[in-house]
């Protein structure tokens, strides 16, 4: 036996190797067959989540940003020159003033003296005219006599000269120097008004300040007065955004940019009638009030504006991430992916408004799929099928 094995050792080894190899192949084929025959539900399908399509009303929004500016801002300059004898709190920057407050007064003694002399001259020339026509009597005399009695050197403003109704009256009034004296008085009265400046509206002062007893020159800039309560913001909008607005009385919310801290309400005041050629936008002007002088809404702040536009009775609002590059959305139908073409009406931040042209109830896939294709086999998240 040993000699037989020894003589046929090589053949025995080859036969054993073939038997082992055959057994391995048979086992592999049996396992492969079992793999092929696994039921479909045990395949590793892509799990997705869906939402049913439901149409609902939606109010379109228009958003923009811009700098807050005072509704009224005026740079005041001196029309006269001289020494300052009154200066409201030295016109320091940040001072609040009410409308009608005396801001600054210059020494006006010289102009007052000249004005008094001119009024005396007007009274004198009018007296000569009245004396010359006294003998005529009648309405002509009575009119000018009444005017003479109204004149005084103490009045703040000289009464307006009576209307000249005839060529003879014009000639007499001119020849006696009444017209020249009257317009000399009016000119000096106008000049005298330049020596005092009152606040034309309530607001806050900004500037370097004007000290009492200092000197100012004609044309010198004194201060800038800004209405910090009544504010305005201009936002550039495209034509498409303006079309979304329903009417000029649309609700407007103003919030500070970069700060999540409340908002103020405003309204649309007006819009420009000319489009900017470079940006192809039109400025829309929003007005609002900040009576508490909230520092987040003071002039100079950058703010966000949201305007309520037209309300669509039936539309679909979806995240922009659900819209494919070919303007389609992914829908789950009978275990497979199907694409539906959509029409975008508007983009609102990270949302899109779609035209209501798809059947209600379809299951919109909300799970992000890297490379979606028609017919891709899917499985609903949480489904036992």
């Amino acid at each position: 036996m040993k000699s037989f094995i020894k003589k046929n050792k090589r053949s025995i080894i080859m036969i054993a190797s073939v038997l082992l190899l055959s057994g391995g192949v048979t086992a592999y084929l049996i396992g492969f067959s079992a793999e092929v025959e696994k039921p479909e539900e045990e395949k590793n399908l892509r799990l997705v989540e869906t939402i049913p399509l439901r149409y609902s009303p939606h109010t379109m929004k228009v958003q923009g940003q811009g700098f807050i500016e005072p509704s009224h801002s005026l740079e005041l300059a001196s029309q006269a020159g001289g020494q300052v004898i009154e200066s409201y709190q030295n016109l320091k920057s940040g001072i609040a003033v009410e409308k009608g407050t005396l801001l600054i007064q210059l020494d006006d003694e010289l102009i007052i003296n000249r004005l008094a002399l001119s009024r005396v001259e007007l009274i004198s020339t009018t007296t000569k005219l009245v004396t010359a026509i006294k003998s005529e009597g009648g309405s002509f005399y009575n009119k000018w006599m009444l005017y003479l009695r109204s004149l005084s050197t103490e009045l703040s403003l000289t009464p307006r000269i009576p209307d000249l109704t005839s060529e003879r009256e014009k000639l007499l009034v001119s020849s006696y120097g009444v017209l020249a004296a009257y317009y000399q008085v009016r000119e000096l009265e106008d000049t005298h008004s330049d020596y005092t400046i009152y606040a034309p509206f309530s607001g806050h002062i900004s500037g370097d300040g004007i000290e009492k007893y200092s000197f100012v020159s004609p044309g010198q800039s004194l201060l800038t007065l800004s209405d910090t309560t009544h504010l305005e913001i201009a936002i550039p909008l495209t034509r498409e955004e303006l079309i979304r607005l329903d009417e000029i009385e649309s609700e407007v919310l103003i919030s500070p940019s970069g700060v999540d801290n409340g908002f103020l309400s405003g309204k649309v005041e007006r819009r420009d009638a000319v489009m900017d050629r470079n940006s192809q936008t039109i400025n829309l002007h929003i007005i609002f009030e900040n009576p508490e002088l909230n520092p987040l809404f003071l002039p100079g702040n950058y703010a966000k504006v949201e305007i309520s536009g037209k309300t669509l009775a039936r539309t679909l609002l979806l995240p922009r991430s659900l819209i494919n590059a070919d303007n389609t959305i992914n829908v789950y139908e009978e275990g497979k992916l199907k694409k539906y073409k959509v029409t975008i009406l508007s983009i609102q931040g990270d949302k899109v408004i779609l035209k209501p042209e798809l059947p209600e109830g379809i299951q919109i896939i909300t799970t992000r799929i890297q490379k979606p294709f028609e017919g891709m086999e899917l499985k609903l998240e949480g489904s036992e099928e």
Side-chain angles (χ1 to χ4, degrees):
M1 182 69 176
K2 289 183 179 180
S3 62
F4 174 79
I5 293 173
K6 194 172 184 179
K7 290 181 181 179
N8 299 282
K9 184 178 181 180
R10 180 183 219 93
S11 299
I12 292 171
I13 292 173
M14 289 184 65
I15 292 170
S17 299
V18 171
L19 291 174
L20 288 172
L21 181 60
S22 299
V25 171
T26 302
Y28 172 78
L29 292 176
I30 293 172
F32 179 78
S33 176
E35 179 77 17
V36 171
E37 293 175 0
K38 278 186 179 181
E40 184 177 353
E41 58 267 19
E42 294 183 14
K43 291 181 180 179
N44 187 21
L45 301 179
R46 181 72 161 90
L47 294 177
V48 294
E49 293 181 346
T50 64
I51 56 171
L53 187 152
R54 294 287 184 267
Y55 292 116
S56 61
H58 177 73
T59 300
M60 302 177 75
K61 305 289 185 180
V62 174
Q63 296 178 331
Q65 295 181 327
F67 287 100
I68 299 174
E69 303 288 350
S71 292
H72 306 286
S73 183
L74 183 64
E75 182 178 350
L76 299 177
S78 177
Q79 300 299 311
Q83 188 178 33
V84 178
I85 59 175
E86 290 292 341
S87 178
Y88 185 77
Q89 298 187 31
N90 292 327
L91 301 183
K92 295 295 184 181
S93 186
I95 297 298
V97 298
E98 297 294 327
K99 180 180 179 179
T101 300
L102 175 62
L103 299 177
I104 192 169
Q105 181 175 353
L106 304 182
D107 184 3
D108 58 355
E109 183 178 359
L110 180 60
I111 193 70
I112 287 177
N113 291 337
R114 290 176 57 195
L115 182 56
L117 288 174
S118 295
R119 285 173 174 167
V120 169
E121 178 66 18
L122 176 60
I123 293 173
S124 175
T125 55
T126 305
T127 301
K128 291 178 182 178
L129 172 64
V130 170
T131 301
I133 62 176
K134 182 177 181 180
S135 59
E136 296 185 17
S139 59
F140 183 25
Y141 169 76
N142 292 335
K143 177 173 67 173
W144 283 97
M145 187 63 194
L146 184 64
Y147 180 68
L148 177 60
R149 289 173 180 171
S150 69
L151 297 177
S152 170
T153 58
E154 304 298 328
L155 294 176
S156 58
L157 288 177
T158 299
R160 182 180 175 84
I161 198 170
D163 292 334
L164 306 180
T165 57
S166 67
E167 292 298 324
R168 178 173 177 272
E169 184 178 13
K170 292 179 183 178
L171 181 61
L172 285 173
V173 171
S174 298
S175 60
Y176 279 95
V178 176
L179 281 179
Y182 170 75
Y183 285 111
Q184 177 66 24
V185 170
R186 291 301 301 270
E187 180 182 356
L188 290 173
E189 287 177 345
D190 290 342
T191 302
H192 181 243
S193 66
D194 295 337
Y195 282 70
T196 53
I197 298 178
Y198 296 88
F201 50 83
S202 299
H204 283 76
I205 292 172
S206 58
D208 297 329
I210 301 293
E211 298 286 340
K212 190 176 180 179
Y213 303 124
S214 62
F215 285 84
V216 298
S217 304
Q220 178 179 334
S221 178
L222 302 176
L223 58 96
T224 298
L225 183 63
S226 300
D227 186 346
T228 50
T229 299
H230 301 87
L231 304 172
E232 180 175 312
I233 182 169
I235 57 172
L237 299 178
T238 63
R239 291 172 298 180
E240 292 73 17
E241 289 173 323
L242 287 171
I243 292 172
R244 293 184 209 159
L245 298 181
D246 194 12
E247 51 188 16
I248 205 72
E249 292 83 10
S250 300
E251 180 185 10
V252 181
L253 299 179
I254 301 98
S255 57
S257 182
V259 180
D260 188 14
N261 191 10
F263 62 87
L264 294 177
S265 298
K267 67 176 184 178
V268 178
E269 171 71 4
R270 66 190 186 279
R271 69 181 180 188
D272 291 351
V274 178
M275 175 174 285
D276 183 88
R277 291 186 177 182
N278 296 324
S279 64
Q280 287 293 287
T281 57
I282 298 175
N283 279 339
L284 193 70
H285 298 268
I286 312 299
I287 60 172
F288 64 101
E289 295 183 8
N290 182 22
E292 304 299 326
L293 297 181
N294 186 329
L296 297 176
F297 296 96
L298 291 178
N301 276 299
Y302 199 63
K304 298 181 293 184
V305 176
E306 182 178 276
I307 308 172
S308 297
K310 296 179 179 178
T311 297
L312 303 177
R314 188 169 179 266
T315 187
L316 177 62
L317 187 68
L318 288 179
R320 293 178 66 177
S321 59
L322 298 186
I323 309 300
N324 298 321
D326 56 354
N327 277 357
T328 60
I329 60 173
N330 301 324
V331 175
Y332 178 85
E333 285 190 1
E334 299 179 351
K336 295 183 179 181
L337 183 147
K338 186 174 182 180
K339 291 188 176 184
Y340 278 85
K341 195 77 174 178
V342 295
T343 302
I344 298 176
L345 296 178
S346 176
I347 298 176
Q348 304 269 272
D350 60 349
K351 304 284 187 181
V352 291
I353 299 175
L354 303 180
K355 187 176 180 180
E357 54 190 2
L358 302 178
E360 280 197 279
I362 62 175
Q363 297 296 313
I364 300 174
I365 298 173
T366 58
T367 304
R368 188 171 182 83
I369 301 175
Q370 292 296 331
K371 295 180 179 180
F373 58 88
E374 288 264 6
M376 175 186 286
E377 295 184 340
L378 304 171
K379 182 180 180 182
L380 288 179
E381 188 77 35
S383 174
E384 296 181 357
E385 296 181 357

